[in-house]
């Protein structure tokens, strides 16, 4: 099939590459010409394990193309996936749909034959209806079908998630597009993915409901970790004990920093905003957002207590600054709040991240990037394990740094407290 992905970011690039690997002709479009030029040279603008090899392979096979010309790319395709960003509105909490509607307006002039227009971006309920209205201004209704096909991939596991999804959700109000899309997804369905067809509005809401539920699970266990710290209970035991119940499940039950990333923070806010618009009240999700916001302050206060409130001139090292491992994505990472707060109090901060230097800290006083774990630890007073990269899991601090013993605050519970303590370090973790 001939596919066009509009927006070549984490979702558009990964799904476009994977669709081409399944044998489709895919053209990935982006308004960012630099990104397109890099991709044409085989350079990948994001960090995603395994992506580079797949891009090079399919680009060489000519099943995968890159372009900044939306009009021609759309005209030459049958199925159009809209994969542009839907960030939170500046000074608001609802989703900013400007990128989506701009694309819809541009698409409108390029419908030369029947096309399926799909939102793969996460969009609030009724966005599909709005896109349909925009397209109807210039096109007859039988020339296009607007479908919702939310994406559930996780950064860091994106290729695996795309190729072996738990479910494929298709929200369409007509049979024709459903039939074509079922055919498109047949290779994944035959590997075990559930194909679920529903209405367009339901598919839009399923995505937000899923993300809000997962965010709730994380927040739930984070709050329980606070209780464990006061009662001498190990939160890991609670996670295991609860997770063994199949109705609950063990995933997303690991205590740590506030949830971050490009999805949960903005999507929890957006679903609340949608419910406000329809005059209902999602009190539980509102409470999750509040609790997650407070989480960063709780962990910062713990740092102040660990350092006995003497932050000025303390050398603090961050191991990992992205919101989770195996991604370079900094969007809404809790380090973006923690590092500036500590810098304001006079701390001298160094950070090491396997995905390198981060422009987000460029203007923050006394914050510097170092390019190795060892360098980041030298002379430190406090080492904060912020992100659970495998690179950090087997560090032998005692062998790596002779002499000075720093304090370790392991926000991901990746070390055994006894082992670290026997190496002679003061050690703190989360909920244990
Ligand atoms: N990142 C994830 O893990 C993830 C997972 C599931 C769903 N989503 C959803 O998918 C959507 C995209 O997320 P992302 O992380 O890939 O975003 P992103 O910011 O990485 O990529 C969006 C891309 O769209 C491009 N773009 C914007 N307007 C354009 C236009 N008019 N024409 C062509 N290109 C245009 C941008 O230049 C950018 O490269 C969002 O709605 C997000 O919520 C993201």
């Amino acid at each position: 099939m001939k596919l066009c992905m509009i927006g070549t970011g984490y979702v558009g690039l990964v799904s476009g590459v994977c669709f081409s690997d399944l044998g489709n002709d895919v053209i990935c479009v982006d308004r960012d010409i630099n990104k397109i030029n890099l991709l044409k040279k085989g350079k990948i603008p994001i960090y995603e394990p395994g992506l580079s090899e797949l891009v090079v392979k399919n680009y060489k096979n000519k099943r995968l193309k890159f372009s900044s010309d939306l009009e021609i790319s759309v005209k030459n395709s049958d199925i159009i996936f809209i994969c542009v960003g839907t960030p939170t509105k500046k000074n608001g909490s609802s989703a900013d749909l400007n990128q989506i509607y701009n694309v819809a307006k541009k698409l409108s002039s390029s419908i030369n034959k029947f096309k399926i227009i799909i939102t793969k971006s996460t969009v609030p309920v009724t966005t599909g209806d709005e896109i349909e209205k925009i397209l109807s201004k210039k096109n007859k209704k039988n020339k296009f079908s607007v479908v919702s096909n939310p994406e559930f991939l996780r950064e860091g596991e994106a290729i695996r998630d795309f190729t072996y999804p738990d479910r494929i959700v298709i929200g369409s109000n007509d049979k024709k597009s459903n039939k074509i899309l079922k055919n498109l997804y047949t290779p994944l369905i035959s590997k075990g993915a559930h194909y679920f067809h529903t209405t367009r509005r339901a598919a839009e809401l399923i995505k937000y409901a899923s993300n809000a539920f997962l965010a709730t699970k994380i927040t739930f266990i984070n709050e329980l970790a606070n209780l464990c710290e006061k009662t001498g209970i190990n939160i890991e035991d609670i996670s295991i004990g609860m997770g063994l119940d199949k109705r609950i499940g063990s995933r997303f039950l690991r205590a740590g920093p506030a949830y971050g990333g490009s999805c949960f923070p903005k999507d929890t806010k957006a679903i609340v905003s949608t419910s406000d618009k329809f005059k209902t009240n999602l009190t539980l999700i509102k409470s999750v957002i509040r609790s997650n916001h407070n989480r960063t302050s709780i962990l910062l206060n713990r740092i102040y207590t660990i350092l006995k409130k003497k932050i000025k001139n303390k050398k603090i090292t961050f191991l990992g600054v992205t919101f989770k491992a195996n991604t370079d994505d900094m969007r809404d990472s809790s380090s973006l709040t923690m590092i500036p707060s500590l810098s304001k109090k006079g701390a001298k901060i160094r950070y090491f991240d396997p995905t390198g230097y981060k422009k987000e800290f460029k203007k923050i006083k006394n914050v510097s990037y170092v390019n190795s774990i060892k360098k980041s630890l030298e002379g430190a007073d406090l080492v904060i394990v912020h992100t659970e990269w495998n690179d950090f899991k087997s560090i032998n601090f005692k062998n790596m740094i002779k002499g000075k013993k720093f304090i370790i605050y392991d926000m991901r519970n990746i070390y055994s407290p006894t082992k670290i303590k026997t190496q002679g370090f003061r050690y703190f973790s989360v909920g244990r």
Side-chain angles (χ1 to χ4, degrees):
M1 292 187 198
K2 288 187 188 314
L3 315 182
C4 173
M5 318 304 293
I6 303 180
T8 307
Y10 289 88
V11 165
L13 180 58
V14 170
S15 43
V17 171
C18 292
F19 273 131
S20 72
D21 205 50
L22 293 173
N24 300 288
D25 286 328
V26 180
I27 179 143
C28 291
V29 178
D30 207 286
R31 66 178 174 185
D32 181 341
I33 295 170
N34 287 338
K35 204 179 249 191
I36 293 299
N37 288 339
L38 275 179
L39 285 160
K40 282 182 177 169
K41 287 183 201 147
K43 293 188 179 148
I44 314 300
I46 54 170
Y47 177 89
E48 183 59 50
L51 187 61
S52 175
E53 295 83 337
L54 274 190
V55 170
V56 172
K57 175 184 152 197
N58 287 287
Y59 189 63
K60 271 191 188 156
N61 286 344
K62 297 195 168 46
R63 280 200 299 257
L64 181 64
K65 292 192 179 112
F66 299 103
S67 170
S68 48
D69 191 330
L70 187 141
E71 203 178 323
I72 293 182
S73 307
V74 170
K75 279 186 177 155
N76 290 334
S77 307
D78 302 315
I79 306 177
I80 321 297
F81 286 91
I82 303 177
C83 310
V84 297
T86 49
T88 305
K89 265 187 191 159
K90 283 203 177 90
N91 308 322
S93 59
S94 60
D96 178 348
L97 297 173
N98 272 327
Q99 294 182 41
I100 297 278
Y101 295 142
N102 280 340
V103 167
K105 281 175 203 152
K106 285 187 182 154
L107 275 175
S108 207
S109 333
S110 310
I111 300 185
N112 51 349
K113 55 182 174 168
F114 178 75
K115 299 206 189 282
I116 303 181
I117 315 288
I118 302 177
T119 48
K120 215 172 215 338
S121 298
T122 304
V123 291
V125 176
T126 68
T127 305
D129 305 358
E130 291 302 318
I131 296 174
E132 198 168 271
K133 272 190 214 156
I134 294 171
L135 298 180
S136 303
K137 284 185 188 156
K138 284 196 181 164
N139 300 280
K140 286 197 177 136
K141 283 236 159 117
N142 63 358
K143 281 281 188 192
F144 66 90
S145 167
V146 179
V147 174
S148 164
N149 170 213
E151 183 50 61
F152 299 100
L153 61 77
R154 291 162 299 168
E155 287 170 19
E157 312 268 349
I159 292 168
R160 198 208 144 272
D161 284 352
F162 185 89
T163 319
Y164 299 96
D166 293 333
R167 81 291 209 193
I168 295 150
V169 174
I170 298 292
S172 76
N173 300 340
D174 66 286
K175 284 189 185 148
K176 184 176 175 182
S177 55
N178 181 36
K179 201 173 156 199
I180 296 171
L181 291 176
K182 197 163 186 182
N183 197 12
L184 173 69
Y185 278 112
T186 295
L188 307 188
I189 299 166
S190 57
K191 279 193 240 167
H194 290 277
Y195 183 89
F196 179 54
H197 178 239
T198 178
T199 61
R200 191 169 61 210
R201 285 187 177 193
E204 290 170 341
L205 188 55
I206 285 169
K207 173 65 190 178
Y208 281 103
S210 303
N211 275 359
F213 191 79
L214 293 173
T216 304
K217 262 186 117 176
I218 295 174
T219 307
F220 183 89
I221 205 71
N222 279 346
E223 287 198 350
L224 278 183
N226 299 338
L227 179 59
C228 286
E229 282 173 15
K230 302 276 184 203
T231 49
I233 296 167
N234 185 340
I235 188 68
E236 309 275 294
D237 289 350
I238 305 304
S239 299
I240 295 169
M242 283 176 68
L244 286 170
D245 183 330
K246 287 197 177 70
R247 294 170 302 176
I248 299 172
S250 59
R251 294 168 75 186
F252 288 79
L253 271 190
R254 293 205 56 203
Y259 61 74
S262 66
C263 293
F264 290 178
K266 81 172 174 65
D267 292 348
T268 43
K269 282 187 245 164
I271 192 175
V272 164
S273 174
T274 302
S275 98
D276 288 347
K277 183 175 151 196
F278 286 95
K279 303 206 170 1
T280 58
N281 197 353
L282 293 178
T283 55
L284 178 62
I285 306 175
K286 281 182 185 168
S287 160
V288 166
I289 295 169
R290 228 176 300 121
S291 173
N292 193 60
H293 182 75
N294 293 340
R295 181 82 190 142
T296 304
S297 313
I298 290 173
L299 296 196
L300 271 171
N301 281 332
R302 188 101 197 271
I303 297 173
Y304 303 149
T305 312
I306 290 169
L307 291 175
K308 302 194 171 70
K309 300 210 162 62
K310 291 183 183 123
I311 313 295
K312 198 156 194 256
N313 292 326
K314 282 279 165 13
K315 290 182 182 135
I316 302 180
T317 292
F318 272 71
L319 289 179
V321 287
T322 54
F323 79 100
K324 67 170 181 178
N326 295 323
T327 183
D328 57 348
D329 201 339
M330 285 295 290
R331 286 177 281 187
D332 273 313
S333 173
S334 57
S335 69
L336 293 173
T337 312
M338 284 185 194
I339 290 182
S341 293
L342 292 166
S343 147
K344 235 183 190 171
K345 288 198 180 297
K348 301 207 169 3
I349 294 157
R350 267 176 304 180
Y351 69 92
F352 169 77
D353 191 281
T355 58
Y357 169 81
K358 302 293 168 204
K359 63 178 183 330
E360 286 78 359
F361 300 122
K362 195 177 167 186
K363 291 195 179 138
I364 314 289
K365 226 173 128 188
N366 289 326
V367 180
S368 56
Y369 165 73
V370 283
N371 63 4
S372 80
I373 298 175
K374 190 172 188 306
K375 274 190 212 158
S376 78
L377 300 178
E378 280 162 3
D381 296 303
L382 171 69
V383 173
I384 294 173
V385 182
H386 175 269
T387 314
E388 72 283 26
W389 285 89
N390 280 340
D391 310 44
F392 306 146
K393 288 185 182 160
S394 50
I395 301 175
N396 186 320
F397 290 100
K398 196 177 163 192
N399 288 352
M400 197 177 263
I401 300 292
K402 306 280 180 216
K404 188 177 176 199
K405 294 275 184 279
F406 37 77
I407 307 168
I408 298 170
Y409 184 14
D410 174 6
M411 292 184 178
R412 299 288 179 172
N413 292 352
I414 62 176
Y415 304 119
S416 143
T418 7
K419 269 195 194 158
I420 296 285
K421 280 177 192 161
T422 50
Q423 287 181 29
F425 295 91
R426 277 180 73 208
Y427 176 79
F428 299 88
S429 53
V430 174
R432 50 181 202 175

Short mmCIF file of all heavy atoms in Angstrom, two decimals, residues 116-135:
data_model
loop_
_atom_site.label_atom_id
_atom_site.label_comp_id
_atom_site.label_asym_id
_atom_site.label_seq_id
_atom_site.Cartn_x
_atom_site.Cartn_y
_atom_site.Cartn_z
N ILE A 116 -7.66 7.65 2.83
CA ILE A 116 -7.99 7.48 4.25
C ILE A 116 -7.05 8.40 5.02
O ILE A 116 -5.83 8.34 4.87
CB ILE A 116 -7.79 6.01 4.70
CG1 ILE A 116 -8.63 5.07 3.85
CG2 ILE A 116 -8.13 5.86 6.17
CD1 ILE A 116 -8.52 3.61 4.25
N ILE A 117 -7.65 9.27 5.80
CA ILE A 117 -6.85 10.23 6.59
C ILE A 117 -6.93 9.77 8.04
O ILE A 117 -8.02 9.72 8.62
CB ILE A 117 -7.46 11.67 6.50
CG1 ILE A 117 -7.84 12.04 5.06
CG2 ILE A 117 -6.56 12.68 7.17
CD1 ILE A 117 -6.72 12.31 4.13
N ILE A 118 -5.78 9.46 8.60
CA ILE A 118 -5.76 8.86 9.94
C ILE A 118 -5.06 9.76 10.94
O ILE A 118 -3.96 10.25 10.66
CB ILE A 118 -5.02 7.51 9.88
CG1 ILE A 118 -5.70 6.58 8.88
CG2 ILE A 118 -4.92 6.87 11.24
CD1 ILE A 118 -5.00 5.27 8.68
N THR A 119 -5.67 9.95 12.11
CA THR A 119 -4.91 10.61 13.18
C THR A 119 -4.22 9.52 13.99
O THR A 119 -4.87 8.68 14.62
CB THR A 119 -5.80 11.45 14.12
OG1 THR A 119 -6.93 10.66 14.50
CG2 THR A 119 -6.27 12.73 13.47
N LYS A 120 -2.88 9.52 13.92
CA LYS A 120 -2.09 8.64 14.78
C LYS A 120 -1.63 9.45 15.99
O LYS A 120 -1.32 8.92 17.05
CB LYS A 120 -0.89 8.08 14.01
CG LYS A 120 -0.59 6.66 14.46
CD LYS A 120 0.44 5.98 13.63
CE LYS A 120 0.18 4.51 13.44
NZ LYS A 120 -0.66 3.83 14.39
N SER A 121 -1.60 10.77 15.80
CA SER A 121 -1.33 11.65 16.93
C SER A 121 -2.42 11.42 17.97
O SER A 121 -3.53 11.00 17.63
CB SER A 121 -1.42 13.12 16.51
OG SER A 121 -0.47 13.43 15.54
N THR A 122 -2.09 11.74 19.22
CA THR A 122 -3.09 11.65 20.29
C THR A 122 -3.95 12.91 20.24
O THR A 122 -3.44 14.01 20.45
CB THR A 122 -2.36 11.53 21.65
OG1 THR A 122 -1.48 10.41 21.56
CG2 THR A 122 -3.33 11.36 22.80
N VAL A 123 -5.22 12.73 19.93
CA VAL A 123 -6.09 13.91 19.78
C VAL A 123 -7.38 13.76 20.59
O VAL A 123 -7.93 12.67 20.70
CB VAL A 123 -6.46 14.15 18.29
CG1 VAL A 123 -5.25 14.58 17.48
CG2 VAL A 123 -7.12 12.94 17.66
N PRO A 124 -7.85 14.88 21.17
CA PRO A 124 -9.06 14.81 21.99
C PRO A 124 -10.30 14.40 21.20
O PRO A 124 -10.36 14.61 19.97
CB PRO A 124 -9.23 16.25 22.49
CG PRO A 124 -7.93 16.91 22.27
CD PRO A 124 -7.26 16.21 21.13
N VAL A 125 -11.25 13.84 21.93
CA VAL A 125 -12.52 13.43 21.35
C VAL A 125 -13.13 14.58 20.55
O VAL A 125 -13.14 15.72 21.04
CB VAL A 125 -13.50 13.05 22.48
CG1 VAL A 125 -14.87 12.70 21.92
CG2 VAL A 125 -12.95 11.89 23.28
N THR A 126 -13.58 14.29 19.39
CA THR A 126 -14.22 15.21 18.40
C THR A 126 -13.22 15.84 17.43
O THR A 126 -13.62 16.56 16.51
CB THR A 126 -15.11 16.35 19.01
OG1 THR A 126 -14.25 17.26 19.69
CG2 THR A 126 -16.19 15.83 19.93
N THR A 127 -11.91 15.58 17.60
CA THR A 127 -10.95 16.16 16.65
C THR A 127 -11.19 15.60 15.24
O THR A 127 -11.13 16.33 14.25
CB THR A 127 -9.50 15.86 17.10
OG1 THR A 127 -9.34 16.33 18.42
CG2 THR A 127 -8.48 16.52 16.19
N GLY A 128 -11.47 14.30 15.17
CA GLY A 128 -11.78 13.67 13.87
C GLY A 128 -12.96 14.37 13.21
O GLY A 128 -12.95 14.61 11.99
N ASP A 129 -13.97 14.73 14.00
CA ASP A 129 -15.15 15.42 13.45
C ASP A 129 -14.73 16.75 12.84
O ASP A 129 -15.20 17.14 11.77
CB ASP A 129 -16.20 15.69 14.56
CG ASP A 129 -16.60 14.42 15.31
OD1 ASP A 129 -16.10 13.33 14.95
OD2 ASP A 129 -17.41 14.51 16.25
N GLU A 130 -13.84 17.45 13.54
CA GLU A 130 -13.37 18.76 13.06
C GLU A 130 -12.57 18.61 11.76
O GLU A 130 -12.72 19.40 10.82
CB GLU A 130 -12.48 19.45 14.12
CG GLU A 130 -13.21 19.90 15.35
CD GLU A 130 -14.35 20.87 15.06
OE1 GLU A 130 -14.16 21.76 14.23
OE2 GLU A 130 -15.44 20.70 15.65
N ILE A 131 -11.72 17.58 11.71
CA ILE A 131 -10.91 17.35 10.49
C ILE A 131 -11.86 17.09 9.31
O ILE A 131 -11.68 17.62 8.22
CB ILE A 131 -9.92 16.17 10.69
CG1 ILE A 131 -8.90 16.52 11.78
CG2 ILE A 131 -9.22 15.81 9.38
CD1 ILE A 131 -7.96 15.39 12.15
N GLU A 132 -12.88 16.29 9.60
CA GLU A 132 -13.87 15.97 8.55
C GLU A 132 -14.52 17.27 8.02
O GLU A 132 -14.68 17.44 6.81
CB GLU A 132 -14.91 15.04 9.14
CG GLU A 132 -15.71 14.29 8.09
CD GLU A 132 -16.53 13.18 8.74
OE1 GLU A 132 -15.99 12.06 8.87
OE2 GLU A 132 -17.67 13.44 9.12
N LYS A 133 -14.84 18.17 8.94
CA LYS A 133 -15.46 19.45 8.52
C LYS A 133 -14.52 20.23 7.63
O LYS A 133 -14.92 20.79 6.61
CB LYS A 133 -15.79 20.30 9.77
CG LYS A 133 -17.16 20.02 10.36
CD LYS A 133 -17.47 21.08 11.43
CE LYS A 133 -18.29 20.45 12.54
NZ LYS A 133 -18.19 21.14 13.82
N ILE A 134 -13.24 20.29 8.03
CA ILE A 134 -12.26 21.05 7.24
C ILE A 134 -12.15 20.46 5.83
O ILE A 134 -12.18 21.17 4.83
CB ILE A 134 -10.87 21.04 7.95
CG1 ILE A 134 -10.96 21.81 9.27
CG2 ILE A 134 -9.78 21.62 7.04
CD1 ILE A 134 -9.73 21.70 10.16
N LEU A 135 -12.04 19.12 5.78
CA LEU A 135 -11.85 18.47 4.46
C LEU A 135 -13.11 18.62 3.59
O LEU A 135 -13.01 18.71 2.36
CB LEU A 135 -11.51 17.00 4.64
CG LEU A 135 -10.20 16.69 5.39
CD1 LEU A 135 -9.98 15.19 5.49
CD2 LEU A 135 -9.00 17.33 4.70
#
